[in-house]
Amino acid sequence: MSEQFDFASFSKSAIEKLKQGKPLTGTDGVFTPLLKMILEASLESEITDHVQETKSEKNRRNGKGTKTITSGLGSFELETPRD
């Protein structure tokens, strides 16, 4: 994932959402975009390592799918890489 996290922009947006009474977690939660970015970056890194380790098996990337994650923090959609 080549996106750089803009902490200043996130902080400004988070403060505004908190002032509006938005929840911290869940579908419209203040921290949900940050959690989503961290999880997607982790999955990208994992698939990159997996594809590199299995090159001899001609393993390759095969697009992305979406998954709904439900946790104690709420539900949100993740873009998940496939091989």
Side-chain angles (χ1 to χ4, degrees):
M1 190 169 187
S2 60
E3 291 179 40
Q4 292 293 318
F5 180 68
D6 183 356
F7 184 77
S9 176
F10 172 77
S11 294
K12 184 177 178 180
S13 174
I15 290 168
E16 287 303 314
K17 288 179 181 179
L18 288 171
K19 286 179 181 178
Q20 295 169 6
K22 299 282 185 182
L24 292 176
T25 59
T27 304
D28 295 325
V30 174
F31 294 123
T32 301
L34 179 61
L35 179 58
K36 176 178 167 53
M37 186 195 74
I38 290 169
L39 290 173
E40 287 176 348
S42 297
L43 290 169
E44 275 297 324
S45 177
E46 186 176 340
I47 196 73
T48 297
D49 288 345
H50 172 70
V51 168
Q52 288 176 352
E53 287 176 4
T54 59
K55 268 189 175 174
S56 62
E57 299 170 20
K58 300 194 187 243
N59 204 350
R60 59 186 170 79
R61 291 178 180 263
N62 190 17
K64 294 185 181 218
T66 57
K67 303 266 185 209
T68 301
I69 301 299
T70 304
S71 73
L73 301 176
S75 298
F76 54 91
E77 293 284 319
L78 277 184
E79 254 188 33
T80 56
R82 295 183 302 201
D83 68 338

